[in-house]
Structure formats: structure tokens, C-alpha cells
Amino acid sequence: MKNVSMLALAVCTAGTLFAAEVGDSFLLHTKNTTLALCRQQGSWNVLHYGAKVSSQSDAFALAWNRWAGGNSVSQRRPAAYAAYGGDKDGGYGFNKFGGLQVTHADGCLTLHLVGEKAETLPDETGVTHLVLVQRDRFYPFWVVQHFRALEKCDVIETWIELRNGEDGAVRLGRMDSFAMGFPLIANAFRFQYVTGQWAAEAQLRETSIERGQTVSIGSRSGVRDAWENNASFMLTAGETSSETSGRVFGGVLCWSGSWGISVQRDHCDFVEIRAGADTSAGAYVLDAGKSITLPKFAFTFSSKGKGQISRNIHRWARDWQLPAGSKLRPVLLNSWEGSYFSFTEKVLHDMMDGVKEMGGELFVLDDGWFGTGKYARDDVHKDKVGLGDWVINPEKLPNGLVGLSDEAKARGLKFGFWVEPEMVNTNSWLYEAHPEWVIREKNRPVNVGRGGSQTVLDYSNPAVRQNTYNQLDALYSKILDLAYIKWDANADFYNMGSTYLDAAHQANLPFDYTVGLYDLLAKLRAKYPQVDIQACSSGGGHVDFGFLRYADEFWGSDDSDARERVFIQWGESQFYPACTIAAHVTDVPNHQTHRTTPLKYRFDVAMSARLGFELHPKNMSAEDVAFAKKCVADYKRIRPTVQQGDLYRLVSPYDNNYAALMYVNEEATHAVVFLWGLARGNWSDFVPPLALQGLADDKSYAVKEINVAKGRKHCRVDGRILGGSALGSMGLPVRLSGDYDSAVFELTAK
Ligand code: DGJ
């Protein structure tokens, strides 16, 4: 069978020598949380997940027991992984929901899972890796559930492997990675998520989940998985939570394809959380003898509100998920808004000179450098041609990418360039040669998107991926100092079908596409570990922790207006650490919103994430360049704290006409506070003192305002040394006046 997603099931055999069997109950601890599991009537249930519980008998005594109730819904049990079907033969116990639905080779529609084996596997220091092996009572079909408890960040990673030992293919109608009966009892539940659209991604929303309701979010894009909803959420158990209070569960699905997340609350307050790859195109066919690994889901808990959920996931991302989470991200200039498709080598050299002068470290050439002959992506054809032909356009760049990289090097800059490897234009040499390589339906014309000719390559087909790999490898290998790739993706699945997969496996396409994409990314990353990747997909379409296994950062939105970025980055900061959020200072009036904000404001917003530029420096005045130079120098000093520190969101832009947040380094010796006015009401709209968080009570801090423009300061205690405890309780006195006023403060322990 031509199926790339099938992985040999190594679980429970690798490492068996050192594996330790666990009994019928297990407490999985992190620093501040416990997941208490027990085997009841043969299958694994959750007794507790939340703040730490150290005794197994306490967990038993206090565990929720409503699942034992008599009506047809509440008889569900809080399963560690809920499947469609029963948990015992005969009597009550049929779950009509659940995150896994299997149609067996003989047509039977249900699973009856029984715990077969449970053991802890040896793992890195500080990590407990628990494996629960469950098997259907009758069918040779296995569900292997992994949990890795990451002590310091309070995050548990979980993933599922399914193994089909039947003598024919099974069909997976649902194949969620996480399907847990939520064990925290409350009289109210609230669901927070981010949603949006092009140039307005990651808008924060929260909704109550009433009894009888299911709240769900998802994406069926296939590619731009995060453009609308993001595969992440927070669930508050109780009436309310805030940045600093409330019992909150947070989860992220590590997947770049179509996905779904849902929380269902029934009339007996049974809550089931599900997250996983979307199967709306049809059931996934898992052939006899094959196994499949479902995407990872990472979750955390805080009894001190949402801010701690963010900090936990940020730390997890940097320590465990990102390819190089502790590496400081460079200050770069991307050519897109500065020149779009209209550039010559001279234009690009001038940009390099400009960013070098301001202290930048990397130059990135965006779209428009490739395609030849009638398919050259030049000023005339723009985005209508060329995708798929990853060869230089010699008319535009006679000295090629190598020449540009040499020019960058001569200026002491690193070099990177843009590609869109998942895509092809029907106006390209690649498509002319291989029209069968795109995602398409057998007897229908190909639907297209951007430029009237763009569509998606079929990465379930290894030959298609290999072709992209070969083309990129040929480019990468020539540019010796290549440091960065911007990986764009400007289309969805406009079609649904594969000429590679046979008729029986057509519905495997969405899942196998993403597995294929990861295969390509992994190969490139392995051969070129020094080449950082920016995930981009029409802005924020690839903002997910699946892509961020291979990419270092993302372009969170094509909207570069600083005022709108306050909201977008606020939403992204719920789960994504500042080192992953690319934020660029651009020209005014802003190209998307036509709003004009001061240069200082644009810096103050961009410096709260990974700072960059996206403009032509020659359009800047000498005064602006001098200001930019100072900002970049200051950014390099505060960068370790911004990119690697703990985030505290102080004042939300959703509730006020200003916003503030701060970062504190691990030792609490350095902090950076950002304050941004939005459109202000009137002059007397005073900003209350900012009650700072995360500082050490027993330390004193020198307060210094940075990014000061035109001598205007925003704090009457600038230059003073003040106690961490007083700054927390009395707050930092600040002021803003006028629209788009802003301030940045650096606090250094003395
Ligand atoms: C969409 C991206 O989001 C932009 O930043 C830019 O790279 C364009 N594509 C180029 O076509």
C-alpha cells in the first residue's frame, strides 16, 4: 500500500529491558500538577488532573463519580482516552461520543478497550514517560497512549499510536489525539480561544459552555491551519478566571493540517475534551498490520490563572518543542513591504546597507526571485506564475542568490530567502511536466487560488516531496552561509483527491499530506540545521506547534500596523513565546490599514517580540535612522529577557484603551515593561500605575525608560532604584498622552 504515514510500532518493545510495569493506578506528577489515573473494570480512567495531589488514596476518595449515574449520557466514564463503544461487555457503558471511532475489518463499529499493559519507559532526566497499552476485548486492535510529564514547565505531552492487527483494513471515522473525560468538577466552564482571518489573525475570544452544549473550533484548510482558528485553547473550570486567578486547563495540538478541538458538557456536567486531526473528508483507512502515530497534544494546568498557562507552554516550547528554543533570534530586514516584486540587485544591496547601518543582522529576500522564461515571476506576472520552479530568474538577479548572499556577507549580514514549497502555479514548468502532482479530483478541473493559478502539491506522494527537496537542496547547498528560509504557503486545499493514493485510500490525503510535509521539513532541517525557518502562510496560517517542531518562528500576520499588532500579538502570546513571533517595523501610512503611527510606537510594539524591519531604509529620514539605531542597540541588550523570559500580561487591550505586558528573566534580575496606548479617549484618561509582576520581593530595581523619542518620558520615577515588592503592590507610575503614545521600561536588579 502506498501510505507514507504508517510507522512501525516500536513502542513497548524498544526499551522493554528497562521499562517498569505500573500497577492499576498511577500518579503522574509535574512540579505543580498531578494526573491521577487508574484502571477500573479493565480500562484506564482519570481520577484527577489539576493541582498536585500526592496520595493515591486521596485521589481515589475524592474522584468524581458522576459517571456512574444511571442515564444514558452520564454513564460515560472519565476515560484517559475515550473511544466510541463500550467499556465492558453487556450492561451499561456505551459511549456514543469519544475521540476514536473504528470500523473494524468485519464492519463492527465499536471499540471495547481493555488495559493490557502499563509501564514507564526510561526517558531524559526529569521526564516520566508513561505508556498505557489498551486492546479491544475481541479484535486485535491496539491503542497505545503515551504521556510524558515534563516537570519544570508543568506540561504533559500525550500522543496515541494505533495498531491494526486485524486481517483487513480498518476505517478511522474519528482519530483524535486527546479524548479525555475532564475530571475537574465545576458549576461553570469557560472556553478561551483565538480566531480571525487574513490580516486579523489571533483575535481573543471567550465563551461560556452551558450544560448540554458542545463548543468546537477547527480548520479544514489542509494548509493554512491557523488562519482562522488556532489549534489551542484554555478551559476555565469555574465562573471566571483572569491572568492571575482561576483554575485553568490549557492545551495545544501539534498539527499543521486540518484539525478539530471540542469541549462537550452534558447535563450531568460530564465534560469531554477532544483534540485531533480532522476526518471530515472521510474515514482514514489503516491497512492490516499497519500502525499510525497521531499528532501530539500538550496540556498544562494552573490554579493561578491564564498567565501561568501561557508561561508553562512558552517554557515547554523553548525547552522541548522548538528546534533551537534557546537560540536568540536575529534582527532582520525582509524585503517584501519595501519592494514587493519590484527589485533589482541594486535595490536589494541598498536595503542591505540600510539595515546594516541600523544594526540589523540578517537580510531576507522575499517573493519574486525565481521562475524562468514565460514563467518568470517578474514585475508583470507577479504572483500568477512560477511557483514550483525554484530556480533563479537571471533577468532580475544576474548574480543569483549566491551573489546576494556574498553581498550580505561582505556587509557582515547573514542571508535568507523566501520559498513556497507546498505550492505550484498551473503556470509553471513543473505543472507543465507533472499536472498529476497536485491535489486534484480525478474527473474534475483543478480549482485554483492566488494569482488565478495557484494550487497545492500532493505531498502524500513521496516523488513530489523528493522533487521539492532536490530543488531546495540544490539552492541551499550553493549558498554556503545560508541562515534563514521564509516558508510561505498561500493556499488551502481547493480540491480533494490524489492521483497517487488508490481509490480506497483517497480520504487519507489530508492526514498523509501533513505527514509528508513534516517528512520534507525534517529532511531539510537535518541536512541544514543552521538554516532557521520562518513559518508563514498568508501571514498567520502556519502558527501551530506542529510546524514549530521544524520552524523557529512565524510571521503572525500580513497586517503590520502596530496598533493592530498589539491585538494580534496579544492573542498569539496566549501560547506562543515571544521568540517565535516575528514583528516588523514597517512604513507609514501602513500598507494594510493606511493608519499612521509614530516610528517610536512601531518600535515599541515590534520590540516586544522578535524585532525586524520590512521597509526600504532609503525612505527613512536621518533622524529616523538614528532613532532606529538606538532602538536596535537597546533591543540587543533586552533581547535575552524578551525572547527567553517569562511573560506577564498586565493590562489587556480588550478591556482598556491601552495595553501593557512585561518580561522577566529566570533569575528575576532583569525585566522589560511595554506600555502601548491605543486610540485614546481624552487627555484626562490617566493610566493607573502598572502593578508589576514576576519581580523578586527582596530585590531592588533601577528603572530606566528606553526608546525615548524627542526627549518625552513617560514615568516620573525614571532613574530611581525601587523595591520589587513596592513595584508589585503600588505599581510603576506611568503616563500616556495622545493617540499611539507608548513607552518601554527596563528594570535591572541592583
Ligand atoms: C504572503 C506573506 O504573508 C507575505 O509576507 C509575503 O511573503 C507574500 N506572501 C509574498 O508573496
Side-chain angles (χ1 to χ4, degrees), residues 336 366-367 418 450 486 488 490 536 538-539 555 558:
W336 184 240
D366 210 281
D367 195 354
W418 177 100
R450 187 185 187 195
K486 175 172 174 177
D488 206 346
N490 294 293
C536 175
S538 310
W555 183 229
D558 275 349

